[in-house]
Amino acid sequence: MRILVTGGAGFIGSHVVAALAGAGHEPVVLDTRPPHDRAGAGGNAERITCDVRDAEAVEAALGGVGAVCHQAAMVGLSPDFDDAPAYVGVNDLGTAVLLAAMARAGVGDLVLAGSMVVYGEGRYTCPRHGDVSPGPRRPAELDAGRFEPPCPECGAAVEPGAVSEDAATDPRSVYAATKLAQEHLAAAWARSTGGRAIALRYHNVYGPGMPRDTPYAGVASFFRSALARGEAPAVFEDGRQRRDFVHVRDIAGANTAALGALADREDGTLRAYNAGSGTPHTVGETAEELSRAHGGPSPRVTGEYRLGDVRHITASSRRLMEESDWRPRVGFAEGMAEFAAAPPGAASAPAG
């Protein structure tokens, strides 16, 4: 099948392109990066250089296409609210332009790159009140080094667990709000056109080609960049924040599996799936693993924090594994060792 991959020259998108080609599909890369930009090679796939907000160019790119993998996005936690119009423009307007073009072109299958950030904090259990949803952490508590969110009912300590797709959404940053809006737009498109959509809620993706030297990169990239400079990775808070680090090749495989699963979806619907490794690790453990693989120096815990960060967010990817043939295959130690040794990705603009 001929498949359009928006953002197909980026970090995740280029791996998706490779996985699709390996599965016998014909991927077509649509990206703002010109063909000579090696930020994401995309193999020998056909390349179309345009912005996903260019309606005429996007509609032309959809000729002969059977499905779309929508990866193009402005990603990460911005250090400045002034970036809000850019996030909304790229992520939400870009998605709306793409979906309208798909409706005109009669392309009815979509795999959307979603994000675990739509949940806000992850799943927590209070011994007294059961499952609870802590609100945003207060600066005064963070300044005092009290990083764990308490039970919102009684203030007791709560136990973090794996979040499922049925959890309530609670976006706590501009980026998170735009990622949830993308899902709502895709659901509205599916209902209106009879299309079929899957949103893969990526957890913390890492691996070869990950961008470096940008405030929009993930924490694993920050740690590796520090090690490359001979510096100790700076671990925020107390390092005990729990995350689900999933290798980029596993995420690429999830996209291929999702395309296969679309055939079983009811027309006019969107189905969300978590895409994570299923094995939580702390941010401190990640820094230590990368330092070990790189040969030091050891991480340092700073106690600093970013107000938009959540404390714990880890995934249950059971739904995706039960409803497709996908399984995460790259182990944490193996993946981090590969990532530590891989050539760094290019410094990149925030739009994928």
Side-chain angles (χ1 to χ4, degrees), residues 206 243-247 250 277 279-290 292 329-339:
Y206 74 97
R243 298 289 186 270
D244 187 319
F245 292 93
V246 58
H247 196 279
D250 284 334
S277 73
T279 305
H281 291 275
T282 69
V283 171
E285 287 171 344
T286 304
E288 290 168 1
E289 196 70 43
L290 284 171
R292 186 180 304 114
R329 303 188 184 281
V330 182
F332 181 73
E334 171 195 355
M336 288 295 170
E338 178 197 22
F339 179 50

Side-chain angles (χ1 to χ4, degrees), residues 243-318:
R243 298 289 186 270
D244 187 319
F245 292 93
V246 58
H247 196 279
V248 67
R249 286 197 299 274
D250 284 334
I251 288 297
N255 276 266
T256 302
L259 282 166
L262 276 169
D264 298 325
R265 298 300 311 144
E266 182 181 350
D267 292 354
T269 61
L270 177 142
R271 181 78 159 160
Y273 294 94
N274 287 332
S277 73
T279 305
H281 291 275
T282 69
V283 171
E285 287 171 344
T286 304
E288 290 168 1
E289 196 70 43
L290 284 171
S291 294
R292 186 180 304 114
H294 192 273
S298 297
R300 60 184 181 88
V301 176
T302 69
E304 298 174 75
Y305 64 87
R306 297 191 305 178
L307 193 57
D309 279 341
V310 297
R311 179 61 173 174
H312 304 293
I313 178 69
T314 61
S316 169
S317 299
R318 178 180 298 177

Side-chain angles (χ1 to χ4, degrees), residues 174-195:
V174 172
Y175 171 60
T178 64
K179 295 306 288 183
L180 184 56
Q182 283 185 310
E183 291 192 19
H184 289 318
L185 287 166
W189 162 83
R191 287 192 297 271
S192 174
T193 66

Side-chain angles (χ1 to χ4, degrees), residues 106-196:
V107 179
D109 282 348
L110 171 72
V111 176
L112 171 68
S115 175
M116 54 83 180
V117 296
V118 300
Y119 297 116
E121 287 285 351
R123 177 174 173 265
Y124 291 87
T125 303
C126 171
R128 181 179 174 187
H129 294 99
D131 287 350
V132 294
S133 299
R137 296 181 294 171
R138 294 179 296 177
E141 296 294 312
L142 296 170
D143 288 337
R146 292 188 287 269
F147 302 119
E148 295 288 348
C151 173
E153 301 294 332
C154 64
V158 292
E159 181 66 25
V163 67
S164 74
E165 295 87 351
D166 295 326
T169 54
D170 183 17
R172 298 186 180 182
S173 68
V174 172
Y175 171 60
T178 64
K179 295 306 288 183
L180 184 56
Q182 283 185 310
E183 291 192 19
H184 289 318
L185 287 166
W189 162 83
R191 287 192 297 271
S192 174
T193 66
R196 301 177 295 191

